[in-house]
Amino acid sequence: MLYIAYLYGFDLFKPLHSYWTFERFIKNTPNQYFSNIMQNLVLLVKDLGFIDNSFVSADATPVFANTKFNNPKSFTDITCHFCFSNQ
């Protein structure tokens, strides 16, 4: 988990935010905000030459997942598997 936090730019010498802080942030932030960030990042890496837009690909392969863990309404019913503990 610390490696992921490092990749996302967190200072590993400070306490990490709780899972619920991130969940609340995602829930209270409009999706359009994240869509704009993603669009700007794709345009940036395109301008830097890391990718090009010479083709478009779409994948319609179904991905089977335990989606109940993606439903915020079920968070109260499950144990948080992504939480950090001091053990």
Side-chain angles (χ1 to χ4, degrees), residues 29-69:
T29 304
N31 186 49
Q32 188 61 38
Y33 180 76
F34 297 113
S35 295
N36 288 341
I37 290 173
M38 184 66 171
Q39 181 180 4
N40 290 333
L41 288 173
V42 170
L43 292 174
L44 176 65
V45 296
K46 178 187 167 289
D47 291 343
L48 293 173
F50 290 106
I51 63 172
D52 64 35
N53 60 346
S54 60
F55 67 92
V56 175
S57 176
D59 185 357
T61 304
V63 176
F64 299 101
N66 192 351
T67 56
K68 78 175 187 177
F69 293 115

